[in-house]
Amino acid sequence: AFLLGRFLFRDLVATWAAKYRVIKAIDISLHEKGLQVMLLLRLSPVVPFNVFNFIAGSTSVPLRDYVIGTVVGIIPGTFAFVF
């Protein structure tokens, strides 16, 4: 879903970021603090994973930050669910 969002929706979000300051600010913060944001949102049980994958893919969060944040962020929830 991340890569699908990156290739299908990135241009649309870039256009919106040029128009709207809020979207531009979110895009910039995800680019600069992508690992922290990914980690914190993966730890939150409120955010649906699939929707967030599309949103993260359509922003400028680096793939490295996305992967590391996802892997580290889902470990506590998986551990709690299994044990």
Side-chain angles (χ1 to χ4, degrees):
F2 176 84
L3 293 176
L4 195 62
R6 177 63 47 107
F7 292 114
L8 290 180
F9 301 120
R10 180 65 193 134
D11 294 334
L12 178 66
V13 171
T15 307
W16 287 350
K19 279 185 179 179
Y20 304 107
R21 291 184 297 149
V22 173
I23 295 176
K24 184 176 183 177
I26 291 170
D27 196 38
I28 290 171
S29 66
L30 281 173
H31 181 71
E32 293 175 358
K33 304 278 186 182
L35 181 60
Q36 294 171 353
V37 173
M38 291 302 303
L39 183 62
L40 290 174
L41 287 174
R42 289 296 184 201
L43 289 171
S44 172
V46 178
V47 180
F49 274 26
N50 203 18
V51 173
F52 186 65
N53 291 339
F54 279 111
I55 293 171
S58 62
T59 63
S60 62
V61 64
L63 181 62
R64 180 185 72 77
D65 292 349
Y66 171 79
V67 171
I68 293 171
T70 297
V71 169
V72 174
I74 65 172
I75 290 173
T78 304
F79 185 76
F81 185 72
V82 172
F83 299 106

